[in-house]
Amino acid sequence: MVDACMHGRHAGPTRIDKWKRMGITSNDAAPRAVLLRFLFLLCIGCKCLASEVEATQTATLAVDASPQLARKIPDTLFGIFFEEINHAGAGGIWAELVSNRGFEAGGLHTPSNIDPWSIIGDDSSVFVETDRTSCFSRNIVALRMEVLCDNCPTGGVGVYNPGFWGMNIEEGKVYNLVMFVKSPETTDLTVSLTSSNGLQNLASATVTVSGESNWIKVEQKLVAKGTNRTSRLQITTNKKGVVWFDQVSLMPEDTYKGHGFRTELISMILDLKPRFLRFPGGCFVEGGWLRNAFRWRESIGPWEERPGHFGDVWHYWTDDGLGYYEFLQLAEDLGTEPIWVFNNGVSHNDEVDTVAIAPFVKDVLDSIEFARGSANSTWGSVRAAMGHPEPFPVKYVAIGNEDCGKKFYRGNYLKFYNAIRQAYPDIQMISNCDGSSTPLDHPADLYDFHVYNDSKTLFNMKSTFDRTSRSGPKAFVSEYAVWRGDAGRGSLLASLAEAAFLTGLEKNSDIVSMASYAPLFVNDNDQTWNPDAIVFNSWQHYGTPSYWMQTLFRESSGAMFHPTTISSSYSGSLAASAITWQDSENSFLRVKVINFGSDAVTLTISTSGLQASINALGSTATVLTSADVMDENSFSNPTKVVPVKSDLSNAAEQMQVTLAPRSFSSFDLALAQSKLVAEM
């Protein structure tokens, strides 16, 4: 080895020769070598530490908590925006396990594609096709299955549905199967929950279909005796003959409040403490073409009668089990204000001329009556029949989505605005036109502001509303996020820029009434838009750093805002805000600081004007950071980038803290008395 290493080079004195010249014998050479190596590393370490010290910046943050400068933040400031995108609803928060449950996804012309349904057996034993024989007039397509075999294979032949990339079936849980069936002869059907290849049987039951010409409703509970994350629903028989199926539904029994939503995903929403729910879009509301826009009327009533529709913007079918009523119910269950975004006669590719918009205006007035009307009103009675006799308190509506530049938007907008104002004068109406830099040319209570940008640009946009007029409509930042290159699939860097942007919204909350991140959810199997706040599949979920960032703003709505001043040569990389808030027992001064730069910062926080003393006991520091600014969370490491909370023993009116590079720090300083917050 020595010869090989020295080949072609001058072979100088060996390490043993050097030791001898230094008076080191072979007996004490090894320990002295270890000592020399230690001293060498120590020297390097000292140099590194010195370098780090030199790279540490200093800054002072002054918080003026005097009552005369305090300002109440709107109760509605931070909420959520839900759009049917990325299979966020169908195959997402809506717990329906069957995909294309009514066989309508292939279109009205039959025979049609029945994807993702498939057959069990082969074409010599079973023949399936769609026809137009359903008992439901609004979704007329059904599946006709003809069993051809006299001696069918063991286990029978039939059809199966894999759900949305596999059904999550868990041991001990109950699943409710509902389907509509017709057969001219009495037939036994076996309904089963199995593994994706059909070999593992998780639950099974036999149902008898009496031979008659009428459709019957079959209901069956299935109790899982095992767990499989990629299961499927099977319907099989051994009897030769014909059976029709329609509206096949499988729902887990344990949904949130029994209202059909996946409990674990709703829990993620609840942890944000949202104050409003904007729904159902987004571009989903507009449609690529008006014929594919979301229609509220077709999404209410019994689920089995809803026709569903193809969302041509995000390119998938929804059966609209998650419809207008369910969104209103979700808003109520979350304790949030519902914000109904409706189509104003404009899609991405076609528009209704203002002279012909009257039927669309009436349709929207009917939708509001459905939500707010008495149980005796025309549309309120439909809501009551669905199980909610009390009105839903809709106080906000958005007239379209991102349609300001369209030819007929302003004309259509005024028709909707005037009709709603006359019928419901208390409803706050939201324009699609941005009023942050120039006044609107039409009446509005709020205006939409959407921003998707790179991290550096969004960080610098924290001062966007500093220059906005203090009179006129309020801003609704209904969609914001870092995206594209430096967003990754949800990076720390993105969350830091977004946090800085939100501190600017807090600062300007006298003219910014609401804000929500977008998109909220993504099914990992259909990431049409990237990044998103919450990632899930059939059985797992995690929050991206952007989700966790929002948890540090969840106490801001309704809190008291206090002005802050940063003094530092490094201030261009810092953002901060301060609020006082209280939980059920204690009051806090929360100071949030974002260090967007690559240097650590020694920060002195100086607070004046507080009407209460700061108590170190109960004070905490919460920090969102990671080793690499592009770090992300994942199913394999869902907590790689999450806030870490610790006690803040040096909490005081003047204190010194260290901000890690590329970090978001939130300091909750416990107040010994609650006089200031009690006055909010």
Side-chain angles (χ1 to χ4, degrees):
M1 290 292 294
V2 173
D3 290 339
C5 291
M6 294 300 174
H7 179 70
R9 289 191 294 173
H10 172 67
T14 67
R15 187 174 301 165
I16 298 295
D17 293 331
K18 291 181 179 179
W19 285 343
K20 287 181 178 178
R21 291 177 186 175
M22 295 171 64
I24 302 174
T25 66
S26 59
N27 291 334
D28 57 5
R32 293 198 185 192
V34 172
L35 178 61
L36 288 170
R37 181 173 294 177
F38 170 76
L39 293 172
F40 175 71
L41 293 174
L42 180 62
C43 178
I44 292 177
C46 291
K47 288 181 179 178
C48 291
L49 289 172
S51 175
E52 289 177 7
V53 170
E54 290 170 2
T56 300
Q57 305 289 333
T58 59
T60 298
L61 176 64
V63 179
D64 189 339
S66 56
Q68 59 268 29
L69 293 181
R71 174 173 40 81
K72 188 175 186 296
I73 293 174
D75 292 333
T76 56
L77 185 58
F78 293 124
I80 57 171
F81 163 46
F82 181 91
E83 177 167 16
E84 180 60 271
I85 181 176
N86 304 319
H87 275 87
I93 66 168
W94 188 243
E96 174 63 64
L97 294 173
V98 177
S99 177
N100 189 17
R101 69 184 178 192
F103 307 100
E104 307 288 332
L108 292 176
H109 300 290
T110 58
S112 56
N113 191 347
I114 63 171
D115 184 69
W117 290 88
S118 190
I119 66 170
I120 299 170
D122 56 34
D123 57 8
S124 67
S125 59
V126 62
F127 176 83
V128 298
E129 65 174 337
T130 53
D131 62 22
R132 296 166 58 86
T133 60
S134 174
C135 58
F136 302 113
S137 60
R138 291 202 296 169
N139 43 27
I140 199 65
V141 177
L143 184 72
R144 178 183 182 274
M145 180 178 78
E146 183 176 0
V147 177
L148 305 173
C149 47
D150 292 304
N151 298 300
C152 294
T154 303
V157 297
V159 292
Y160 73 85
N161 187 289
F164 300 90
W165 301 282
M167 300 178 180
N168 178 37
I169 303 300
E170 297 183 339
E171 184 175 2
K173 290 193 174 181
V174 179
Y175 300 86
N176 296 322
L177 174 71
V178 180
M179 61 181 179
F180 293 81
V181 188
K182 181 178 72 169
S183 178
E185 297 181 5
T186 299
T187 303
D188 287 337
L189 298 174
T190 300
V191 291
S192 308
L193 301 177
T194 74
S195 57
S196 59
N197 59 8
L199 298 180
Q200 180 189 13
N201 191 302
L202 303 166
S204 188
T206 299
V207 296
T208 300
V209 181
S210 57
E212 54 183 82
S213 58
N214 295 325
W215 287 86
I216 63 170
K217 182 179 182 179
V218 173
E219 298 180 85
Q220 178 66 50
K221 289 185 180 294
L222 297 170
V223 181
K225 58 185 179 182
T227 295
N228 190 292
R229 308 301 188 184
T230 56
S231 307
R232 70 189 196 187
L233 169 68
Q234 295 188 171
I235 308 172
T236 56
T237 184
N238 285 294
K239 184 173 181 179
K240 189 174 183 179
V242 179
V243 185
W244 280 267
F245 301 99
D246 198 13
Q247 298 301 327
V248 182
S249 171
L250 183 70
M251 292 279 279
E253 195 165 70
D254 60 337
T255 61
Y256 184 69
K257 293 192 174 184
H259 291 151
F261 295 94
R262 276 178 64 174
T263 301
E264 73 279 17
L265 296 183
I266 298 302
S267 294
M268 294 287 283
I269 295 177
L270 288 169
D271 284 346
L272 294 175
K273 298 182 181 179
R275 297 301 183 94
F276 64 81
L277 169 64
R278 178 181 185 244
F279 70 90
C283 298
F284 181 73
V285 168
E286 300 166 275
W289 297 90
L290 282 171
R291 62 178 175 266
N292 294 318
F294 178 78
R295 305 284 182 172
W296 74 272
R297 290 176 193 263
E298 296 181 356
S299 75
I300 62 170
W303 61 266
E304 63 270 20
E305 296 180 10
R306 302 180 190 181
H309 79 287
F310 177 68
D312 60 350
V313 175
W314 306 124
H315 310 297
Y316 60 90
W317 175 266
T318 60
D319 58 34
D320 290 331
L322 175 54
Y324 182 51
Y325 174 87
E326 286 74 22
F327 280 116
L328 292 169
Q329 183 65 69
L330 178 60
E332 180 177 277
D333 290 347
L334 294 172
T336 58
E337 296 280 359
I339 301 179
W340 164 221
V341 184
F342 60 77
N343 186 287
N344 67 101
V346 176
S347 77
H348 287 187
N349 294 293
D350 58 343
E351 303 179 47
V352 176
D353 192 308
T354 301
V355 299
I357 200 64
F360 287 76
V361 174
K362 182 182 183 303
D363 183 67
V364 167
L365 291 175
D366 289 344
S367 76
I368 298 174
E369 182 180 281
F370 175 88
R372 292 184 34 153
S374 73
N376 297 321
S377 64
T378 301
W379 286 101
S381 64
V382 177
R383 181 200 67 241
M386 294 181 69
H388 203 285
E390 295 300 316
F392 291 109
V394 174
K395 302 174 186 175
Y396 300 89
V397 296
I399 303 175
N401 173 75
E402 296 181 349
D403 293 328
C404 183
K406 302 295 178 62
K407 179 179 179 181
F408 294 111
Y409 178 72
R410 281 173 168 78
N412 291 359
Y413 173 92
L414 289 173
K415 294 289 187 180
F416 285 102
Y417 180 91
N418 292 331
I420 295 170
R421 181 63 80 218
Q422 181 177 358
Y424 302 96
D426 63 308
I427 286 183
Q428 301 285 290
M429 281 174 275
I430 305 164
S431 168
N432 289 176
C433 299
D434 178 12
S436 63
S437 56
T438 57
L440 298 182
D441 60 1
H442 53 273
D445 300 295
L446 300 103
Y447 60 85
D448 271 325
F449 184 94
H450 293 183
V451 56
Y452 298 95
N453 226 313
D454 63 89
S455 60
K456 184 177 180 180
T457 300
L458 192 62
F459 177 86
N460 290 326
M461 286 182 70
K462 61 185 181 294
S463 58
T464 293
F465 291 95
D466 292 359
R467 301 173 294 277
T468 298
S469 171
R470 274 25 215 178
S471 62
K474 307 291 186 182
F476 179 15
V477 184
S478 51
E479 299 181 31
Y480 75 85
V482 170
W483 72 328
R484 293 185 173 166
D486 52 8
R489 293 194 65 187
S491 66
L492 170 65
L493 179 63
S495 71
L496 298 180
E498 291 156 359
F501 179 66
L502 295 192
T503 64
L505 301 190
E506 288 182 324
K507 176 184 177 183
N508 290 287
S509 57
D510 58 324
I511 55 166
V512 178
S513 292
M514 302 177 181
S516 49
Y517 179 92
L520 181 61
F521 283 107
V522 59
N523 188 313
D524 191 55
N525 296 285
D526 181 30
Q527 191 160 31
T528 302
W529 188 282
N530 177 69
D532 311 270
I534 301 168
V535 185
F536 66 89
N537 57 25
S538 68
W539 63 285
Q540 297 168 294
H541 65 276
Y542 66 86
T544 63
S546 294
Y547 169 84
W548 291 109
M549 173 277 298
Q550 293 176 70
T551 66
L552 300 181
F553 285 87
R554 60 190 171 194
E555 280 80 24
S556 294
S557 299
M560 296 297 290
F561 173 82
H562 304 291
T564 59
T565 304
I566 299 174
S567 300
S568 174
S569 60
Y570 196 63
S571 60
S573 296
L574 300 175
S577 68
I579 63 169
T580 45
W581 67 280
Q582 61 185 127
D583 59 19
S584 58
E585 298 179 355
N586 302 298
S587 302
F588 299 89
L589 170 66
R590 172 171 292 179
V591 180
K592 298 187 290 288
V593 190
I594 296 92
N595 179 7
F596 197 62
S598 56
D599 293 347
V601 177
T602 299
L603 177 68
T604 300
I605 301 175
S606 179
T607 305
S608 62
L610 270 177
Q611 302 299 292
S613 59
I614 292 174
N615 190 349
L617 184 64
S619 295
T620 59
T622 304
V623 180
L624 180 68
T625 191
S626 192
D628 190 299
V629 75
M630 293 306 295
D631 278 349
E632 306 172 353
N633 294 330
S634 62
F635 289 127
S636 60
N637 193 354
T639 59
K640 185 174 186 177
V641 188
V642 296
V644 176
K645 190 174 184 177
S646 60
D647 292 335
L648 190 61
S649 58
N650 67 328
E653 290 190 9
Q654 183 160 322
M655 64 181 192
Q656 194 172 87
V657 295
T658 300
L659 306 178
R662 306 287 197 184
S663 65
F664 176 17
S665 301
S666 178
F667 304 102
D668 274 325
L669 310 181
L671 302 179
Q673 302 173 23
S674 59
K675 178 181 176 182
L676 178 64
V677 181
E679 293 176 348
M680 294 196 315

